[in-house]
Amino acid sequence: MLHRVRARVRYPASSGLAAWSRDQMVVRHGQAVHIRQSEPAEEPPVNEVIDAGDTHVFRCDLPLADEAAAVDAFATLTTGSVWGEALTLDLVDGDPSWIERHECDHDEDVRHGCVVMDRVETSDPDAEEWQAGVAYAVDDEVVYDGVLYRCITGHTSQAGWEPPNVPALWEVVA
């Protein structure tokens, strides 16, 4: 079983965050497993920046044997100050930026499928920042600490009910 961190995130070119993200993942890239090397179904680790003019795209696919390393890599890439920059961009042809951590068995002969453990994506670039004292309805989306959340129970927000603190009210958009 591998613990895989994958990402495709567009950042404003002027932010430098695509290169920062790549640089932060250099150690993890060195730890990544090269799945089925030299076989037709080969999956090499990826850690790169693609220059797309006004935006730069950070792309990675890092299959890791160590779960703690994958959790740390996901946390680094989804830090509010980094992920928040991706949320400032409009979707391109409906294609969101995303980062995910999942368990996979691509390295095993008998496969049972992947299981997504964590995922964030920019599915609604118009989502407002979460605020206390606002009446939220089911399916409203907000951004809190750079992460997109969807309301699953209508309520009026209050201090202490921030989305990550109350999973009965909010879910991370996956």
Side-chain angles (χ1 to χ4, degrees), residues 42-80:
E42 178 178 14
E43 296 180 52
V46 174
N47 187 37
E48 66 184 1
V49 172
I50 301 164
D51 184 341
D54 290 342
T55 62
H56 287 174
V57 178
F58 165 66
R59 196 171 75 89
C60 77
D61 186 351
L62 304 172
L64 301 164
D66 180 17
E67 181 178 13
V71 168
D72 177 68
F74 183 83
T76 298
L77 294 174
T78 58
T79 298

PDB file of all heavy atoms in Angstrom, residues 42-80:
ATOM      1  N   GLU A  42       4.252   1.683 -16.140  1.00  0.00           N
ATOM      2  CA  GLU A  42       5.151   2.464 -15.285  1.00  0.00           C
ATOM      3  C   GLU A  42       4.516   3.790 -14.854  1.00  0.00           C
ATOM      4  O   GLU A  42       3.830   4.439 -15.642  1.00  0.00           O
ATOM      5  CB  GLU A  42       6.438   2.748 -16.064  1.00  0.00           C
ATOM      6  CG  GLU A  42       7.435   3.587 -15.318  1.00  0.00           C
ATOM      7  CD  GLU A  42       8.714   3.808 -16.113  1.00  0.00           C
ATOM      8  OE1 GLU A  42       8.730   3.545 -17.332  1.00  0.00           O
ATOM      9  OE2 GLU A  42       9.686   4.232 -15.511  1.00  0.00           O
ATOM     10  N   GLU A  43       4.724   4.176 -13.585  1.00  0.00           N
ATOM     11  CA  GLU A  43       4.241   5.450 -13.047  1.00  0.00           C
ATOM     12  C   GLU A  43       5.391   6.126 -12.297  1.00  0.00           C
ATOM     13  O   GLU A  43       5.561   5.931 -11.106  1.00  0.00           O
ATOM     14  CB  GLU A  43       3.066   5.220 -12.097  1.00  0.00           C
ATOM     15  CG  GLU A  43       1.845   4.628 -12.753  1.00  0.00           C
ATOM     16  CD  GLU A  43       0.714   4.424 -11.769  1.00  0.00           C
ATOM     17  OE1 GLU A  43       0.361   5.386 -11.050  1.00  0.00           O
ATOM     18  OE2 GLU A  43       0.200   3.298 -11.704  1.00  0.00           O
ATOM     19  N   PRO A  44       6.190   6.944 -12.999  1.00  0.00           N
ATOM     20  CA  PRO A  44       7.295   7.617 -12.320  1.00  0.00           C
ATOM     21  C   PRO A  44       6.794   8.760 -11.440  1.00  0.00           C
ATOM     22  O   PRO A  44       5.755   9.366 -11.731  1.00  0.00           O
ATOM     23  CB  PRO A  44       8.145   8.154 -13.472  1.00  0.00           C
ATOM     24  CG  PRO A  44       7.174   8.343 -14.584  1.00  0.00           C
ATOM     25  CD  PRO A  44       6.138   7.254 -14.425  1.00  0.00           C
ATOM     26  N   PRO A  45       7.510   9.080 -10.365  1.00  0.00           N
ATOM     27  CA  PRO A  45       7.149  10.240  -9.546  1.00  0.00           C
ATOM     28  C   PRO A  45       7.278  11.526 -10.369  1.00  0.00           C
ATOM     29  O   PRO A  45       8.127  11.618 -11.256  1.00  0.00           O
ATOM     30  CB  PRO A  45       8.173  10.230  -8.414  1.00  0.00           C
ATOM     31  CG  PRO A  45       8.838   8.903  -8.469  1.00  0.00           C
ATOM     32  CD  PRO A  45       8.677   8.383  -9.848  1.00  0.00           C
ATOM     33  N   VAL A  46       6.419  12.499 -10.075  1.00  0.00           N
ATOM     34  CA  VAL A  46       6.410  13.773 -10.801  1.00  0.00           C
ATOM     35  C   VAL A  46       6.473  14.909  -9.785  1.00  0.00           C
ATOM     36  O   VAL A  46       5.800  14.869  -8.758  1.00  0.00           O
ATOM     37  CB  VAL A  46       5.117  13.913 -11.643  1.00  0.00           C
ATOM     38  CG1 VAL A  46       5.027  15.277 -12.290  1.00  0.00           C
ATOM     39  CG2 VAL A  46       5.028  12.797 -12.674  1.00  0.00           C
ATOM     40  N   ASN A  47       7.271  15.932 -10.074  1.00  0.00           N
ATOM     41  CA  ASN A  47       7.351  17.149  -9.266  1.00  0.00           C
ATOM     42  C   ASN A  47       7.848  18.247 -10.191  1.00  0.00           C
ATOM     43  O   ASN A  47       9.050  18.360 -10.441  1.00  0.00           O
ATOM     44  CB  ASN A  47       8.303  16.948  -8.076  1.00  0.00           C
ATOM     45  CG  ASN A  47       8.286  18.119  -7.125  1.00  0.00           C
ATOM     46  OD1 ASN A  47       7.245  18.722  -6.890  1.00  0.00           O
ATOM     47  ND2 ASN A  47       9.436  18.445  -6.558  1.00  0.00           N
ATOM     48  N   GLU A  48       6.923  19.049 -10.745  1.00  0.00           N
ATOM     49  CA  GLU A  48       7.325  20.000 -11.779  1.00  0.00           C
ATOM     50  C   GLU A  48       6.460  21.255 -11.777  1.00  0.00           C
ATOM     51  O   GLU A  48       5.378  21.286 -11.184  1.00  0.00           O
ATOM     52  CB  GLU A  48       7.233  19.335 -13.155  1.00  0.00           C
ATOM     53  CG  GLU A  48       5.817  18.970 -13.569  1.00  0.00           C
ATOM     54  CD  GLU A  48       5.743  18.222 -14.887  1.00  0.00           C
ATOM     55  OE1 GLU A  48       6.786  17.954 -15.504  1.00  0.00           O
ATOM     56  OE2 GLU A  48       4.615  17.911 -15.320  1.00  0.00           O
ATOM     57  N   VAL A  49       6.962  22.276 -12.463  1.00  0.00           N
ATOM     58  CA  VAL A  49       6.229  23.516 -12.697  1.00  0.00           C
ATOM     59  C   VAL A  49       6.117  23.702 -14.203  1.00  0.00           C
ATOM     60  O   VAL A  49       7.098  23.552 -14.932  1.00  0.00           O
ATOM     61  CB  VAL A  49       6.945  24.732 -12.069  1.00  0.00           C
ATOM     62  CG1 VAL A  49       6.278  26.024 -12.480  1.00  0.00           C
ATOM     63  CG2 VAL A  49       6.979  24.602 -10.559  1.00  0.00           C
ATOM     64  N   ILE A  50       4.899  24.014 -14.648  1.00  0.00           N
ATOM     65  CA  ILE A  50       4.643  24.263 -16.066  1.00  0.00           C
ATOM     66  C   ILE A  50       4.321  25.746 -16.219  1.00  0.00           C
ATOM     67  O   ILE A  50       3.405  26.255 -15.570  1.00  0.00           O
ATOM     68  CB  ILE A  50       3.471  23.398 -16.568  1.00  0.00           C
ATOM     69  CG1 ILE A  50       3.799  21.917 -16.368  1.00  0.00           C
ATOM     70  CG2 ILE A  50       3.147  23.715 -18.021  1.00  0.00           C
ATOM     71  CD1 ILE A  50       2.601  21.012 -16.454  1.00  0.00           C
ATOM     72  N   ASP A  51       5.080  26.432 -17.069  1.00  0.00           N
ATOM     73  CA  ASP A  51       4.864  27.853 -17.317  1.00  0.00           C
ATOM     74  C   ASP A  51       3.706  28.006 -18.294  1.00  0.00           C
ATOM     75  O   ASP A  51       3.790  27.579 -19.441  1.00  0.00           O
ATOM     76  CB  ASP A  51       6.137  28.470 -17.890  1.00  0.00           C
ATOM     77  CG  ASP A  51       6.048  29.971 -18.083  1.00  0.00           C
ATOM     78  OD1 ASP A  51       4.923  30.525 -18.119  1.00  0.00           O
ATOM     79  OD2 ASP A  51       7.108  30.611 -18.216  1.00  0.00           O
ATOM     80  N   ALA A  52       2.607  28.609 -17.825  1.00  0.00           N
ATOM     81  CA  ALA A  52       1.430  28.821 -18.675  1.00  0.00           C
ATOM     82  C   ALA A  52       1.168  30.312 -18.850  1.00  0.00           C
ATOM     83  O   ALA A  52       0.022  30.766 -18.867  1.00  0.00           O
ATOM     84  CB  ALA A  52       0.223  28.114 -18.062  1.00  0.00           C
ATOM     85  N   GLY A  53       2.219  31.093 -18.957  1.00  0.00           N
ATOM     86  CA  GLY A  53       2.071  32.533 -19.159  1.00  0.00           C
ATOM     87  C   GLY A  53       1.796  33.260 -17.863  1.00  0.00           C
ATOM     88  O   GLY A  53       2.665  33.341 -16.998  1.00  0.00           O
ATOM     89  N   ASP A  54       0.569  33.796 -17.708  1.00  0.00           N
ATOM     90  CA  ASP A  54       0.215  34.548 -16.501  1.00  0.00           C
ATOM     91  C   ASP A  54       0.075  33.662 -15.271  1.00  0.00           C
ATOM     92  O   ASP A  54       0.007  34.151 -14.150  1.00  0.00           O
ATOM     93  CB  ASP A  54      -1.105  35.307 -16.703  1.00  0.00           C
ATOM     94  CG  ASP A  54      -0.948  36.453 -17.689  1.00  0.00           C
ATOM     95  OD1 ASP A  54       0.192  36.867 -17.948  1.00  0.00           O
ATOM     96  OD2 ASP A  54      -1.985  36.922 -18.202  1.00  0.00           O
ATOM     97  N   THR A  55      -0.035  32.353 -15.502  1.00  0.00           N
ATOM     98  CA  THR A  55      -0.104  31.414 -14.381  1.00  0.00           C
ATOM     99  C   THR A  55       0.990  30.373 -14.540  1.00  0.00           C
ATOM    100  O   THR A  55       1.482  30.121 -15.647  1.00  0.00           O
ATOM    101  CB  THR A  55      -1.473  30.693 -14.320  1.00  0.00           C
ATOM    102  OG1 THR A  55      -1.654  29.924 -15.506  1.00  0.00           O
ATOM    103  CG2 THR A  55      -2.610  31.673 -14.153  1.00  0.00           C
ATOM    104  N   HIS A  56       1.387  29.806 -13.414  1.00  0.00           N
ATOM    105  CA  HIS A  56       2.296  28.675 -13.405  1.00  0.00           C
ATOM    106  C   HIS A  56       1.552  27.524 -12.743  1.00  0.00           C
ATOM    107  O   HIS A  56       0.847  27.720 -11.752  1.00  0.00           O
ATOM    108  CB  HIS A  56       3.568  28.985 -12.622  1.00  0.00           C
ATOM    109  CG  HIS A  56       4.480  29.928 -13.339  1.00  0.00           C
ATOM    110  ND1 HIS A  56       5.618  30.441 -12.764  1.00  0.00           N
ATOM    111  CD2 HIS A  56       4.442  30.454 -14.591  1.00  0.00           C
ATOM    112  CE1 HIS A  56       6.233  31.238 -13.622  1.00  0.00           C
ATOM    113  NE2 HIS A  56       5.529  31.267 -14.740  1.00  0.00           N
ATOM    114  N   VAL A  57       1.705  26.327 -13.298  1.00  0.00           N
ATOM    115  CA  VAL A  57       1.005  25.159 -12.790  1.00  0.00           C
ATOM    116  C   VAL A  57       2.003  24.267 -12.065  1.00  0.00           C
ATOM    117  O   VAL A  57       3.008  23.840 -12.651  1.00  0.00           O
ATOM    118  CB  VAL A  57       0.326  24.369 -13.934  1.00  0.00           C
ATOM    119  CG1 VAL A  57      -0.367  23.124 -13.387  1.00  0.00           C
ATOM    120  CG2 VAL A  57      -0.652  25.264 -14.680  1.00  0.00           C
ATOM    121  N   PHE A  58       1.718  24.010 -10.800  1.00  0.00           N
ATOM    122  CA  PHE A  58       2.503  23.049 -10.027  1.00  0.00           C
ATOM    123  C   PHE A  58       1.811  21.701 -10.167  1.00  0.00           C
ATOM    124  O   PHE A  58       0.609  21.581  -9.971  1.00  0.00           O
ATOM    125  CB  PHE A  58       2.569  23.456  -8.550  1.00  0.00           C
ATOM    126  CG  PHE A  58       3.051  22.354  -7.659  1.00  0.00           C
ATOM    127  CD1 PHE A  58       4.346  21.874  -7.756  1.00  0.00           C
ATOM    128  CD2 PHE A  58       2.200  21.782  -6.731  1.00  0.00           C
ATOM    129  CE1 PHE A  58       4.788  20.844  -6.941  1.00  0.00           C
ATOM    130  CE2 PHE A  58       2.632  20.757  -5.901  1.00  0.00           C
ATOM    131  CZ  PHE A  58       3.926  20.284  -6.009  1.00  0.00           C
ATOM    132  N   ARG A  59       2.575  20.694 -10.545  1.00  0.00           N
ATOM    133  CA  ARG A  59       2.029  19.351 -10.710  1.00  0.00           C
ATOM    134  C   ARG A  59       2.932  18.364 -10.000  1.00  0.00           C
ATOM    135  O   ARG A  59       4.162  18.407 -10.164  1.00  0.00           O
ATOM    136  CB  ARG A  59       1.953  19.011 -12.198  1.00  0.00           C
ATOM    137  CG  ARG A  59       1.086  17.841 -12.524  1.00  0.00           C
ATOM    138  CD  ARG A  59       0.892  17.719 -14.035  1.00  0.00           C
ATOM    139  NE  ARG A  59       2.070  17.200 -14.685  1.00  0.00           N
ATOM    140  CZ  ARG A  59       2.308  15.898 -14.880  1.00  0.00           C
ATOM    141  NH1 ARG A  59       1.465  14.995 -14.479  1.00  0.00           N
ATOM    142  NH2 ARG A  59       3.406  15.519 -15.485  1.00  0.00           N
ATOM    143  N   CYS A  60       2.318  17.507  -9.180  1.00  0.00           N
ATOM    144  CA  CYS A  60       3.103  16.448  -8.547  1.00  0.00           C
ATOM    145  C   CYS A  60       2.281  15.182  -8.436  1.00  0.00           C
ATOM    146  O   CYS A  60       1.057  15.209  -8.416  1.00  0.00           O
ATOM    147  CB  CYS A  60       3.640  16.873  -7.177  1.00  0.00           C
ATOM    148  SG  CYS A  60       2.453  16.851  -5.834  1.00  0.00           S
ATOM    149  N   ASP A  61       2.984  14.073  -8.394  1.00  0.00           N
ATOM    150  CA  ASP A  61       2.421  12.756  -8.134  1.00  0.00           C
ATOM    151  C   ASP A  61       3.521  12.001  -7.406  1.00  0.00           C
ATOM    152  O   ASP A  61       4.503  11.574  -8.015  1.00  0.00           O
ATOM    153  CB  ASP A  61       2.030  12.064  -9.440  1.00  0.00           C
ATOM    154  CG  ASP A  61       1.304  10.750  -9.204  1.00  0.00           C
ATOM    155  OD1 ASP A  61       1.241  10.279  -8.042  1.00  0.00           O
ATOM    156  OD2 ASP A  61       0.787  10.191 -10.192  1.00  0.00           O
ATOM    157  N   LEU A  62       3.368  11.903  -6.096  1.00  0.00           N
ATOM    158  CA  LEU A  62       4.416  11.355  -5.249  1.00  0.00           C
ATOM    159  C   LEU A  62       3.915  10.147  -4.460  1.00  0.00           C
ATOM    160  O   LEU A  62       3.309  10.300  -3.399  1.00  0.00           O
ATOM    161  CB  LEU A  62       4.932  12.429  -4.296  1.00  0.00           C
ATOM    162  CG  LEU A  62       5.445  13.716  -4.969  1.00  0.00           C
ATOM    163  CD1 LEU A  62       5.758  14.775  -3.939  1.00  0.00           C
ATOM    164  CD2 LEU A  62       6.658  13.412  -5.832  1.00  0.00           C
ATOM    165  N   PRO A  63       4.139   8.923  -4.962  1.00  0.00           N
ATOM    166  CA  PRO A  63       3.771   7.724  -4.217  1.00  0.00           C
ATOM    167  C   PRO A  63       4.807   7.476  -3.110  1.00  0.00           C
ATOM    168  O   PRO A  63       5.974   7.250  -3.399  1.00  0.00           O
ATOM    169  CB  PRO A  63       3.820   6.609  -5.262  1.00  0.00           C
ATOM    170  CG  PRO A  63       4.183   7.242  -6.562  1.00  0.00           C
ATOM    171  CD  PRO A  63       4.641   8.625  -6.287  1.00  0.00           C
ATOM    172  N   LEU A  64       4.375   7.549  -1.880  1.00  0.00           N
ATOM    173  CA  LEU A  64       5.279   7.422  -0.736  1.00  0.00           C
ATOM    174  C   LEU A  64       4.953   6.177   0.074  1.00  0.00           C
ATOM    175  O   LEU A  64       3.785   5.837   0.268  1.00  0.00           O
ATOM    176  CB  LEU A  64       5.177   8.666   0.150  1.00  0.00           C
ATOM    177  CG  LEU A  64       5.508   9.985  -0.557  1.00  0.00           C
ATOM    178  CD1 LEU A  64       5.020  11.169   0.252  1.00  0.00           C
ATOM    179  CD2 LEU A  64       7.003  10.069  -0.829  1.00  0.00           C
ATOM    180  N   ALA A  65       5.978   5.516   0.579  1.00  0.00           N
ATOM    181  CA  ALA A  65       5.776   4.338   1.420  1.00  0.00           C
ATOM    182  C   ALA A  65       5.388   4.752   2.838  1.00  0.00           C
ATOM    183  O   ALA A  65       4.712   4.009   3.542  1.00  0.00           O
ATOM    184  CB  ALA A  65       7.043   3.481   1.440  1.00  0.00           C
ATOM    185  N   ASP A  66       5.785   5.945   3.253  1.00  0.00           N
ATOM    186  CA  ASP A  66       5.571   6.420   4.624  1.00  0.00           C
ATOM    187  C   ASP A  66       4.331   7.317   4.706  1.00  0.00           C
ATOM    188  O   ASP A  66       4.293   8.393   4.110  1.00  0.00           O
ATOM    189  CB  ASP A  66       6.814   7.191   5.074  1.00  0.00           C
ATOM    190  CG  ASP A  66       6.719   7.733   6.479  1.00  0.00           C
ATOM    191  OD1 ASP A  66       5.852   7.283   7.254  1.00  0.00           O
ATOM    192  OD2 ASP A  66       7.532   8.622   6.808  1.00  0.00           O
ATOM    193  N   GLU A  67       3.316   6.880   5.454  1.00  0.00           N
ATOM    194  CA  GLU A  67       2.082   7.651   5.580  1.00  0.00           C
ATOM    195  C   GLU A  67       2.338   9.020   6.203  1.00  0.00           C
ATOM    196  O   GLU A  67       1.764  10.025   5.774  1.00  0.00           O
ATOM    197  CB  GLU A  67       1.048   6.886   6.408  1.00  0.00           C
ATOM    198  CG  GLU A  67      -0.255   7.642   6.553  1.00  0.00           C
ATOM    199  CD  GLU A  67      -1.307   6.876   7.341  1.00  0.00           C
ATOM    200  OE1 GLU A  67      -0.972   5.873   7.974  1.00  0.00           O
ATOM    201  OE2 GLU A  67      -2.471   7.318   7.307  1.00  0.00           O
ATOM    202  N   ALA A  68       3.195   9.086   7.215  1.00  0.00           N
ATOM    203  CA  ALA A  68       3.476  10.365   7.880  1.00  0.00           C
ATOM    204  C   ALA A  68       4.068  11.369   6.890  1.00  0.00           C
ATOM    205  O   ALA A  68       3.763  12.562   6.950  1.00  0.00           O
ATOM    206  CB  ALA A  68       4.404  10.164   9.075  1.00  0.00           C
ATOM    207  N   ALA A  69       4.906  10.910   5.967  1.00  0.00           N
ATOM    208  CA  ALA A  69       5.489  11.796   4.955  1.00  0.00           C
ATOM    209  C   ALA A  69       4.404  12.340   4.033  1.00  0.00           C
ATOM    210  O   ALA A  69       4.425  13.514   3.655  1.00  0.00           O
ATOM    211  CB  ALA A  69       6.554  11.064   4.155  1.00  0.00           C
ATOM    212  N   ALA A  70       3.438  11.499   3.677  1.00  0.00           N
ATOM    213  CA  ALA A  70       2.336  11.941   2.818  1.00  0.00           C
ATOM    214  C   ALA A  70       1.450  12.944   3.542  1.00  0.00           C
ATOM    215  O   ALA A  70       1.033  13.952   2.957  1.00  0.00           O
ATOM    216  CB  ALA A  70       1.518  10.740   2.347  1.00  0.00           C
ATOM    217  N   VAL A  71       1.161  12.694   4.805  1.00  0.00           N
ATOM    218  CA  VAL A  71       0.344  13.628   5.600  1.00  0.00           C
ATOM    219  C   VAL A  71       1.048  14.974   5.693  1.00  0.00           C
ATOM    220  O   VAL A  71       0.438  16.033   5.514  1.00  0.00           O
ATOM    221  CB  VAL A  71       0.046  13.044   6.996  1.00  0.00           C
ATOM    222  CG1 VAL A  71      -0.534  14.093   7.925  1.00  0.00           C
ATOM    223  CG2 VAL A  71      -0.884  11.842   6.880  1.00  0.00           C
ATOM    224  N   ASP A  72       2.352  14.959   5.940  1.00  0.00           N
ATOM    225  CA  ASP A  72       3.134  16.193   6.039  1.00  0.00           C
ATOM    226  C   ASP A  72       3.162  16.937   4.701  1.00  0.00           C
ATOM    227  O   ASP A  72       2.992  18.159   4.662  1.00  0.00           O
ATOM    228  CB  ASP A  72       4.565  15.869   6.495  1.00  0.00           C
ATOM    229  CG  ASP A  72       5.427  17.099   6.547  1.00  0.00           C
ATOM    230  OD1 ASP A  72       5.187  17.967   7.415  1.00  0.00           O
ATOM    231  OD2 ASP A  72       6.356  17.219   5.705  1.00  0.00           O
ATOM    232  N   ALA A  73       3.341  16.218   3.603  1.00  0.00           N
ATOM    233  CA  ALA A  73       3.371  16.856   2.282  1.00  0.00           C
ATOM    234  C   ALA A  73       2.029  17.511   1.973  1.00  0.00           C
ATOM    235  O   ALA A  73       1.979  18.649   1.496  1.00  0.00           O
ATOM    236  CB  ALA A  73       3.724  15.825   1.213  1.00  0.00           C
ATOM    237  N   PHE A  74       0.933  16.813   2.258  1.00  0.00           N
ATOM    238  CA  PHE A  74      -0.399  17.370   2.027  1.00  0.00           C
ATOM    239  C   PHE A  74      -0.603  18.627   2.865  1.00  0.00           C
ATOM    240  O   PHE A  74      -1.093  19.648   2.372  1.00  0.00           O
ATOM    241  CB  PHE A  74      -1.478  16.318   2.337  1.00  0.00           C
ATOM    242  CG  PHE A  74      -2.871  16.798   2.061  1.00  0.00           C
ATOM    243  CD1 PHE A  74      -3.395  16.738   0.779  1.00  0.00           C
ATOM    244  CD2 PHE A  74      -3.670  17.300   3.072  1.00  0.00           C
ATOM    245  CE1 PHE A  74      -4.687  17.177   0.512  1.00  0.00           C
ATOM    246  CE2 PHE A  74      -4.962  17.742   2.819  1.00  0.00           C
ATOM    247  CZ  PHE A  74      -5.474  17.681   1.528  1.00  0.00           C
ATOM    248  N   ALA A  75      -0.213  18.573   4.132  1.00  0.00           N
ATOM    249  CA  ALA A  75      -0.367  19.733   5.023  1.00  0.00           C
ATOM    250  C   ALA A  75       0.446  20.920   4.519  1.00  0.00           C
ATOM    251  O   ALA A  75      -0.017  22.064   4.552  1.00  0.00           O
ATOM    252  CB  ALA A  75       0.040  19.362   6.445  1.00  0.00           C
ATOM    253  N   THR A  76       1.648  20.672   4.032  1.00  0.00           N
ATOM    254  CA  THR A  76       2.498  21.748   3.504  1.00  0.00           C
ATOM    255  C   THR A  76       1.832  22.422   2.308  1.00  0.00           C
ATOM    256  O   THR A  76       1.769  23.652   2.228  1.00  0.00           O
ATOM    257  CB  THR A  76       3.876  21.195   3.087  1.00  0.00           C
ATOM    258  OG1 THR A  76       4.529  20.663   4.248  1.00  0.00           O
ATOM    259  CG2 THR A  76       4.748  22.272   2.457  1.00  0.00           C
ATOM    260  N   LEU A  77       1.306  21.629   1.385  1.00  0.00           N
ATOM    261  CA  LEU A  77       0.723  22.179   0.160  1.00  0.00           C
ATOM    262  C   LEU A  77      -0.627  22.851   0.390  1.00  0.00           C
ATOM    263  O   LEU A  77      -1.029  23.705  -0.397  1.00  0.00           O
ATOM    264  CB  LEU A  77       0.583  21.084  -0.898  1.00  0.00           C
ATOM    265  CG  LEU A  77       1.895  20.503  -1.413  1.00  0.00           C
ATOM    266  CD1 LEU A  77       1.613  19.336  -2.351  1.00  0.00           C
ATOM    267  CD2 LEU A  77       2.732  21.565  -2.111  1.00  0.00           C
ATOM    268  N   THR A  78      -1.330  22.477   1.447  1.00  0.00           N
ATOM    269  CA  THR A  78      -2.666  23.044   1.681  1.00  0.00           C
ATOM    270  C   THR A  78      -2.672  24.115   2.767  1.00  0.00           C
ATOM    271  O   THR A  78      -3.743  24.567   3.180  1.00  0.00           O
ATOM    272  CB  THR A  78      -3.685  21.941   2.033  1.00  0.00           C
ATOM    273  OG1 THR A  78      -3.240  21.229   3.187  1.00  0.00           O
ATOM    274  CG2 THR A  78      -3.886  20.993   0.871  1.00  0.00           C
ATOM    275  N   THR A  79      -1.501  24.544   3.204  1.00  0.00           N
ATOM    276  CA  THR A  79      -1.415  25.657   4.154  1.00  0.00           C
ATOM    277  C   THR A  79      -2.164  26.852   3.570  1.00  0.00           C
ATOM    278  O   THR A  79      -2.052  27.136   2.373  1.00  0.00           O
ATOM    279  CB  THR A  79       0.063  26.032   4.397  1.00  0.00           C
ATOM    280  OG1 THR A  79       0.722  24.923   4.968  1.00  0.00           O
ATOM    281  CG2 THR A  79       0.196  27.242   5.292  1.00  0.00           C
ATOM    282  N   GLY A  80      -2.927  27.533   4.401  1.00  0.00           N
ATOM    283  CA  GLY A  80      -3.771  28.630   3.937  1.00  0.00           C
ATOM    284  C   GLY A  80      -3.058  29.662   3.090  1.00  0.00           C
ATOM    285  O   GLY A  80      -3.584  30.112   2.074  1.00  0.00           O
TER     286      GLY A  80
END
